[in-house]
Amino acid sequence: MEPTTMMYIASGLMSASRYNRAGKIAKQEAALTARRIKVQAEQKRLQKLQEHNDIVANLQTFKGTNMALAGTSGRDTGADKSFKRIQERAKENAAVTAQRSNLQGIMEQSNLAQKQQMVLLQGQNKAKSYRMMGYQSILNTAYGTSKLI
């Protein structure tokens, strides 16, 4: 076999090897990005939990302040309808705010999970594409070699 033919074959095989390596790297990058998105989702979940705790703490602070004001003004907190209505309204507002925060958190978690799956799928598709390019390189090399021999 001539040196030129051997160089042609070696070049084709090296090209296929590079495409194969590029496919593996694409998969690794996708996996790394997916792990980052997973960490981001966990951080968002913790952030929403902290927001919920803040809402509950604010409600408790409001109740305590309202009880103190009612006590200093001499109002009967057990029988005063306006006092009870203020407390009920604060509970309702806190519940609505907590529900909205929870719903927003669920939507963010869903979006991040979808994003994570898309990144992994894109990585797999890139890897397949590179693998096909490697096969094409081998076939082109075989065809070119057949012309030289």
Side-chain angles (χ1 to χ4, degrees), residues 3-18 141 145:
T4 310
T5 306
M6 290 182 70
M7 293 279 284
Y8 191 83
I9 293 171
S11 172
L13 292 175
M14 286 177 63
S15 178
S17 175
R18 282 191 302 266
T141 301
T145 304

Side-chain angles (χ1 to χ4, degrees), residues 32-83:
L32 179 62
T33 303
R35 281 194 298 274
R36 285 183 187 146
I37 292 171
K38 186 177 181 179
V39 168
Q40 184 181 8
E42 182 63 21
Q43 289 171 342
K44 287 282 187 183
R45 188 186 68 77
L46 291 173
Q47 180 184 6
K48 287 300 174 185
L49 180 62
Q50 185 60 45
E51 285 180 20
H52 180 268
N53 290 343
D54 289 344
I55 291 168
V56 172
N58 287 341
L59 176 62
Q60 293 303 322
T61 302
F62 176 80
K63 283 181 171 181
T65 304
N66 203 10
M67 288 289 275
L69 289 173
T72 58
S73 66
R75 296 169 65 184
D76 180 14
T77 58
D80 193 342
K81 289 182 181 181
S82 65
F83 176 77

Side-chain angles (χ1 to χ4, degrees), residues 34 37-38 41 106-120:
I37 292 171
K38 186 177 181 179
I106 290 169
M107 289 175 18
E108 287 174 358
Q109 292 294 317
S110 175
N111 287 340
L112 288 172
Q114 184 179 19
K115 188 177 179 181
Q116 182 181 11
Q117 292 300 317
M118 288 298 294
V119 164
L120 289 173

